Amino acid sequence: SRFPVYHKTLLGGHVLAQDGDVVIGGIFSFRTGQDYVVNTFEAIPEVRNFNFREFKFAQAMIFAINEINENPDMLPGVKLGYRIYDDCGTMDILRAALALVSGLGGEVSDENCTKIESVQAILGHSGSRPTIAFAPVVGRFHVPVISHFATCACLSNRKEYPTFFRTIPSDYYQSQALAKLVKHLGWTWIGVIAVENEYGLNGIAAFIQAAQEYGVCIEYSDAFSSSGPPADLQRITSKIQSASSKVILAFMSHREIKLLAKQLYEQNVTGVQWLGSDAWITDHSLADSEGHGILVGSLGFTVSRVQIHGLEEHLRGLHPSLFPHSRFVRDFWEDVFDCSLKATATGRRKPCSGLESLRDVESPFTDVSELRFTNNVYKSVYSVAYALDALLKCEEGRGPFSNGSCANPAQIQPWQVLEYLSMVNFTTPEGERVYFDSNGDSPARYELVNLQITNRGTMEEVTVGIYDASQPGSQQFIMSDTPLVWGTGHSEVPVSVCSESCPPGSHKVLQKGLPVCCYDCIRCPAGEISNSTDSIHCMKCAPEFWSNERRDACIPKEIEFLTYGEILGTLLASFSLLGVFLTTLTTIVFYCHKETPLVRANNSELSFLLLFSLTLCFLCSLTFIGRPTQWSCMLRHTAFGITFVLCISCVLGKTILVLMAFKASLPGSNLMKWFGPTQQRLCVVSFTLIQVVICILWLTISPPFPFKNMILYRDRIILECQLGSALGFWAVLGYVGVLAGLCFVIAFLGRKLPDNFNEAKIITFSMLIFCAVWIAFVPAYISSPGKFTVAVEIFAILASSYGLLFCIFMPKCFIILFMPEKNTKKHMFRKSTNNR
């Protein structure tokens, strides 16, 4: 018969059974226990709640087995049977598993002592904790265990659970998917709460490890059990209230999340974004629990939703007459139709009419719109069927056992089914590929669901994305365009961070004693940048670059040199041109009065040469202004050295001439013939030629060159002329100083000459100014930074040039222009006579 028979057992539960050539076992929990209830043994305990989902799992198993039995292409000539236990509690589930393995499910008597009904595989259980308890025990008998809902990553340990398989992905992949989701949504500061068992603790351990790889920090992690004391739940509630994180991952079952939601609802805790594990995120019973509104907006991963054709008809065809001895079916039927199956009405319920039918009822049991974990049961049955089919169709010599042998179809052993089960690989009618890896795990493919309030006013899950671990890393997680509802009640993605992101231009500095997600944002130092958000370090700019004001980009350093456009450059250039103008004006005055006694008495040839050299001195200062180039660097120093030597040589010639003229005016002296015009010219040319030789040697050996000074200032480049050879520079400058000192000494010796030869006094004063300027120049030049070094050099050139111009030529110009009566031979002769 295709209809099952319901048997009583001695295990504290009941069994649904159907005979067959090969029997598959199943363990489910049709009832859910009450929380925080301690039996006093003074009254009959309350009836446990109905778990419609578990009963649907069992019916899906029966449906799949009947479907296979009716399929002539699969297991021809072999009928599958089943034995399904309904038990709660780990110990009862363990007893049920041992009964399935031993085949002794009922009382042992003389009539049935030889009847063994052992199974070839066990489907279940839904919970990780019971599965962890009985799977290693069953494994010792080499009986395959295939779970549709036990997701604990610990079950992938082949040494501990050698015969365990599952058609649901391991929590390892779920933890990876949740960590990717948290990272994708920008949450770096979250809380984690788990059920206090292997499922919860292993789940959060895997999640924390994966989350830390993505830079996510855990503010707190805690665990509690639905059977634990209320103080644990109160402690967790207080922790949630005082926490700063707004996102909480709940790795638990529907029992624990209901308790937690109720507690938070009573404490009026809102504004929390929940992340749920697959054990509760799609549980329909949440909508009937108190405080479930807190869970609206929750996000979580769950297995894909499919349609199983024919299952709805099977479920709606359920009737108590099919299970006359099933107390659960009787209680289920009475609860759905609010009637009593007893002949007389009891309590508040009237007798059932017998016309009741599930075909007209909408309930979680008959709802097939969200077949997710039910499909895993369906795939589990087919996995065993395909393994048995391959075993029966084995060709001798090509089998998986020793010497290519095959199993004996008349005496199939569980360990043989186990061997074929590990090689199962088929595709469901919906296109889903089913196989198991070396750890017994199935491919990891999830749907991301969001709990939303629908138009009907009920809380339902809406698919908003997918996660497929078999795809490349960047394509594993894909969000759809479906609008999301957030648990915080806002339309935008909630923010849950310990510290706000550090913008470009700053870097993170960890706060002492806190996780890496808690940090301060410190502005990058000058010269360093960060061009991305949440930079850990600031990068130094290249030597020729500097950070911008925002510290998020390196820009070329400002190149600094003395230019005509700036005030200092304009002033120096103006004074230089003014000096040229005054020198030219003086030259014109002297030229127009070249026949006068005053001009002729001061050696007009040397005077004009001196004026010409002063003009060159004023002009050479202009070569120091502007962008330094290879040619300008060589020109500025050599032009300065040569023109100043020419200038000082002329002054030295005039000084010597004054002394010679005085000595020649004495009776019996003929010195002037030794220092005539030819000797004067030769003296100037000789002194100047020595400087020219020094400059040629300098330019030949190691000439000046433009140089980018990046040491003086960090934020800008000083473009200056590097001396090349410091010895050459100081030789040029030292030679000028020697001539100036010599000129000063000679002029000082002639300071007491008669008034008509008082040019020696003027030269003495001018040389005093000249030497003072250049002596002060040396420390100022060494200590001045950047372009001010050039400014000091120009200032020294101009100051010394103006000193010579004003001291030597201005008094003479004043007499020529404003006191012409003194510019006569008679006046000069009378003055000379008086002095004698």
Side-chain angles (χ1 to χ4, degrees), residues 111-169:
E111 290 78 12
N112 65 5
C113 66
T114 60
K115 185 179 180 180
I116 303 298
E117 298 178 350
S118 61
V119 297
Q120 304 302 326
I122 298 176
L123 271 58
H125 181 271
S126 299
S128 292
R129 187 173 187 178
T131 306
I132 291 170
F134 78 79
V137 177
V138 173
R140 292 181 179 272
F141 297 94
H142 306 289
V143 177
V145 177
I146 310 174
S147 177
H148 56 281
F149 213 159
T151 57
C152 182
C154 59
L155 290 167
S156 297
N157 187 339
R158 227 47 182 154
K159 291 183 179 180
E160 295 289 334
Y161 312 97
T163 66
F164 178 77
F165 298 85
R166 52 183 158 194
T167 52
I168 187 171

Side-chain angles (χ1 to χ4, degrees), residues 275-316:
L275 293 176
S277 60
D278 56 2
W280 68 265
I281 195 67
T282 58
D283 195 297
H284 291 280
S285 64
L286 295 177
D288 301 325
S289 61
E290 183 180 359
H292 70 274
I294 288 178
L295 302 177
V296 173
S298 299
L299 289 169
F301 289 97
T302 187
V303 294
S304 301
R305 176 177 53 189
V306 298
Q307 293 292 329
I308 302 177
H309 300 289
L311 180 60
E312 183 177 10
E313 183 180 353
H314 174 84
L315 296 176
R316 291 187 180 277

Side-chain angles (χ1 to χ4, degrees), residues 10 87 100 118 168 192 221 243 302 333 388 410 412 444 514 563 611 683:
L10 296 179
D87 280 286
L100 290 171
S118 61
I168 187 171
V192 178
S221 63
T302 187
W333 196 265
L388 291 170
I412 300 176
L514 294 177
T563 65
L611 289 170
C683 177

